[in-house]
Amino acid sequence: GLFDICFWRERTSGRTMRYLSLLAVAVTAITATAFTTPLTRTHRTLTVLQTTTVTTSPEANIEQAKKLLVRAAETKLENPDAVLSALESLEKNCKSKFKQDPSAFSRDIMDNISGEWRLVFTTGTKERQKKSGGRVNYFPLKAIQKFDATVEPKIIENGIYVGEFPLIRFAGDFDFDERRRKIEFDFDMIEILGLIKINLSRKDVAKIGASTGLGSANNEKLADTGRRAFFDWISADDQIATARGGGGGLALWKRVG
């Protein structure tokens, strides 16, 4: 970028933090207003999972759920309730398959996790689900999450884009717990409008992330206790990835890089 402003928490005044939070929220609000296209039920393909299907193996159920989720990721036309049902089915059956061979299942996730993923669908945290009356929908913005598990420390990024231009982006590192399929991560850098990069404390970044919608309020609580934010991977392959966040929400990503 044109500017690279780096300073630590002890040099970050309360006024600076308030300014960054307001700027980040404003950028996100402007993006949501300009680029959100509401989807109506009349434009959706009302495809639902066959709850009476006689499939007994986790592998068969996983394959069935993934087919619907791949279509949803490609078209955003699948009924949101059907997508949620498929996510819940996938989570349940992946847990069963994980128990059969935890190491192999976790290695498969790590072999596929590196790359760029666009958030397609999210239920939001349990807290947000209560506020919205339980409604779930496709994510309206271009939110890209990047992982690189080939380096140490492993790298994670999360941002909102217009085309290829990053409006706001967070960067940090992550660890993967194979025993629980859990990623634990911290963001310690925020980039605004592709121009200003600022190193902040985990707690400060968690606060800004929660205010913009890129993070959960639960991450703030974890930062207060010195714990890292996390989410549990459900699956990752060459097309889609799924996970349950620390706040209880389910998410579907489409591989874009």
Side-chain angles (χ1 to χ4, degrees):
L2 298 178
F3 303 97
D4 189 3
I5 306 172
C6 298
F7 51 92
W8 300 103
R9 185 179 183 184
E10 58 266 26
R11 296 177 58 189
T12 305
S13 67
R15 180 179 298 177
T16 302
M17 278 304 304
R18 286 193 296 272
Y19 170 76
L20 287 174
S21 297
L22 289 172
L23 179 57
V25 171
V27 167
T28 306
I30 291 170
T31 307
T33 301
F35 297 95
T36 300
T37 303
L39 296 174
T40 61
R41 291 280 181 176
T42 56
H43 293 133
R44 300 195 191 281
T45 302
L46 299 179
T47 304
V48 295
L49 284 178
Q50 296 293 327
T51 56
T52 57
T53 299
V54 185
T55 50
T56 56
S57 70
E59 289 80 6
N61 291 326
I62 288 170
E63 183 65 23
Q64 182 185 23
K66 279 188 174 182
K67 285 181 179 179
L68 188 145
L69 294 174
V70 168
R71 291 198 304 270
E74 289 293 336
T75 68
K76 290 190 177 183
L77 294 178
E78 297 295 326
N79 182 276
D81 293 334
V83 177
L84 177 57
S85 176
L87 283 169
E88 291 174 339
S89 174
L90 182 64
E91 180 180 38
K92 176 183 177 181
N93 286 283
C94 279
K95 283 182 178 178
S96 297
K97 188 175 180 181
F98 172 73
K99 290 177 181 178
Q100 296 173 8
D101 192 340
S103 295
F105 193 94
S106 292
R107 283 197 302 271
D108 184 63
I109 288 177
M110 285 303 290
D111 288 343
N112 285 288
I113 194 176
S114 293
E116 299 182 8
W117 303 87
R118 179 168 180 170
L119 182 62
V120 174
F121 184 94
T122 177
T123 64
T125 63
K126 290 181 179 179
E127 180 181 342
R128 289 182 181 175
Q129 289 178 51
K130 289 179 181 178
K131 290 181 180 179
S132 66
R135 294 190 302 274
V136 294
N137 215 325
Y138 291 93
F139 198 76
L141 310 179
K142 184 179 180 180
I144 302 292
Q145 202 149 35
K146 299 179 183 180
F147 298 92
D148 188 349
T150 66
V151 297
E152 287 295 340
K154 299 177 180 65
I155 297 171
I156 180 173
E157 290 185 7
N158 196 7
I160 291 178
Y161 292 73
V162 175
E164 299 302 315
F165 180 75
L167 292 178
I168 183 168
R169 181 163 54 188
F170 297 91
D173 63 86
F174 74 91
D175 293 310
F176 183 66
D177 185 342
E178 288 190 3
R179 298 170 301 170
R180 295 181 290 175
R181 297 172 290 111
K182 176 177 288 188
I183 275 187
E184 295 181 313
F185 62 94
D186 287 311
F187 292 124
D188 54 17
M189 189 277 287
I190 179 174
E191 179 185 87
I192 300 174
L193 300 176
L195 300 175
I196 304 173
K197 294 182 180 180
I198 302 174
N199 289 339
L200 299 173
S201 72
R202 297 173 181 175
K203 184 175 180 180
D204 290 334
V205 175
K207 184 180 297 184
I208 295 173
S211 67
T212 61
L214 284 177
S216 160
N218 185 60
N219 292 349
E220 286 189 75
K221 298 176 183 177
L222 291 172
D224 284 336
T225 60
R227 297 161 61 195
R228 306 181 88 186
F230 69 91
F231 51 87
D232 298 323
W233 276 107
I234 298 172
S235 69
D237 57 36
D238 60 346
Q239 293 179 292
I240 60 171
T242 57
R244 183 177 289 277
L250 288 165
L252 166 66
W253 290 270
K254 172 186 175 182
R255 185 185 289 278
V256 293

